[in-house]
Amino acid sequence: MFADRARIIIKSGRGGDGHVSFRREKYVPNGGPDGGDGGKGGDVIFEVDSGVNTLADYRHRRKFAATPGEEGGKKNCHGKNGEDIVLKVPEGTVILDAENKRVICDMSGDNKRVTVLEGGRGGLGNQHFATSKMQAPKYAKPGGDAIELEVILELKVIADVGLVGFPNVGKSTFLSRVTNANPKIANYHFTTLQPNLGVVDLDHSNSFVIADIPGLIEGASEGVGLGYEFLRHIERTKVIVHIIDGASMEGRDPIEDIKAINKEMSQYDANLLKKPQVIVANKMDVCPDTEEDILSDIRAGIDMENVEVYGMSAVSGKGVNELLWHINDLLNNCNDEIITYEAEFDPMELRNEEDSITYEIDKDGAFVVEGAKIDKMLSYTNLESEKGFLFFQNFLKENKINEKLEEMGIEEGDTVKMYGLTFEYYK
């Protein structure tokens, strides 16, 4: 079954912890620290695979995770980096943040391989914290946390021309005649259950890709029928070919059908009606004597500027060649660039939010410093030990917390609150 949408959870690898160890060698009774750094966690990478044309691989598996980095070892041994996980997707896949539907990345154009989540950094071993006053530090930094995110994958096919129209108007028959595609064709509604792509070769220098979009019905933009599931595939097309049953073989009014389909496209995305469009009255072989009258009535009834109306028979081929060359002319006047969606959200902001530090002065005049980064550091630091307190002071200095507090006007003896603890401030 064709799959053009999937909802999955991705997770980068956690960084390995730094190691605490000391040299233990013969004739070296007081060896210095030699704890190695932890390995970096694996990344989550999306990659375009030309051999993949659906998102079926993500229908039955929900979670994809890179591996964590290994802890550092003694003798300055660096922990092994975690392995990346590479997720293969078809070109045209848009990756969205599931919570807010913001675009993370559009796997189109130059975006062939994109790192969406980076693994956590490796923690520093205790060798990095030796100073002249503290030559045997007994702590090391933990590795950076992993990032987990739920995303939506949406495939928006990349085609030059999109075929739209009500079910059973002959879109699949037309596609099979003008391209090498082999869609399923039968005389009942919703024969086409997936977008079909085909390449039209007019001559050595003129060719284009057509996508047969499954039949739309009224209410499609609101989720009725199958149309809503495939409206997204029209977004990238440059030209829209609107096929109608010109002979009204099923008793439908072709003009009302045109208005109904255009209404659905407009409600889904108003920009769709700004694309070049051509109206094609199919099945004209059934009524050859009244073809010109039918086409004239359609032209008079649609009230659409700069939109040509063509008659054809997808079965016999009458009028098809003229239509294809008109489509080619429309494409030649379009921008050649592939329509891509700009990124609206960088998942790495989640890590920045975790690392952010906030400052405020409460009603009692105490300076309150908060943030996940501080909470994490204090959770593994023993402030009652001299070494732990020195590590805490270095943390304040490295993160310029003291500078920020001084900018806020803190003075010696003022109260500082962190992680439920209360301190008096001294330079």
Side-chain angles (χ1 to χ4, degrees), residues 165-290:
F166 274 83
N168 210 29
V169 296
K171 299 191 303 297
S172 296
T173 303
F174 172 70
L175 185 71
S176 65
R177 168 170 283 277
V178 301
T179 74
N180 56 357
N182 187 28
K184 183 179 180 181
I185 299 172
N187 190 29
Y188 53 87
H189 289 179
F190 299 125
T191 306
T192 303
L193 298 178
Q194 67 185 53
N196 290 303
L197 295 176
V199 179
V200 175
D201 286 313
L202 292 175
D203 55 32
H204 295 297
S205 59
N206 292 282
S207 65
F208 51 85
V209 178
I210 293 184
D212 174 15
I213 311 300
L216 305 180
I217 62 175
E218 291 180 85
S221 60
E222 300 172 358
V224 178
L226 298 176
Y228 178 78
E229 292 298 320
F230 300 103
L231 272 166
R232 70 176 69 96
H233 296 300
I234 309 175
E235 294 180 51
R236 293 193 198 269
T237 59
K238 300 173 184 177
V239 172
I240 295 176
V241 175
H242 192 154
I243 298 182
I244 56 176
D245 179 359
S248 303
M249 294 183 63
E250 297 190 359
R252 303 188 61 87
D253 183 339
I255 295 176
E256 291 304 314
D257 282 358
I258 294 170
K259 293 178 178 178
I261 294 296
N262 281 342
K263 179 181 177 182
E264 295 307 320
M265 290 195 295
S266 176
Q267 289 179 341
Y268 178 79
D269 184 349
N271 290 321
L272 293 180
L273 293 188
K274 297 178 182 179
K275 296 177 181 289
Q277 186 175 154
V278 55
I279 305 297
V280 182
N282 190 28
K283 306 183 183 180
M284 289 291 94
D285 55 318
V286 178
C287 47
D289 297 334
T290 58

Side-chain angles (χ1 to χ4, degrees), residues 82-99:
E83 293 185 6
D84 301 334
I85 184 169
V86 180
L87 304 180
K88 302 293 184 68
V89 294
E91 185 173 10
T93 300
V94 180
I95 306 167
L96 305 167
D97 169 28
E99 183 177 357

Side-chain angles (χ1 to χ4, degrees), residues 20-22 33 126-131 134-139 387:
V20 176
S21 63
F22 300 90
N126 69 331
Q127 58 173 309
H128 294 280
F129 302 104
T131 66
M134 184 171 56
Q135 298 180 6
K138 294 182 179 179
Y139 52 81
K387 295 174 182 177

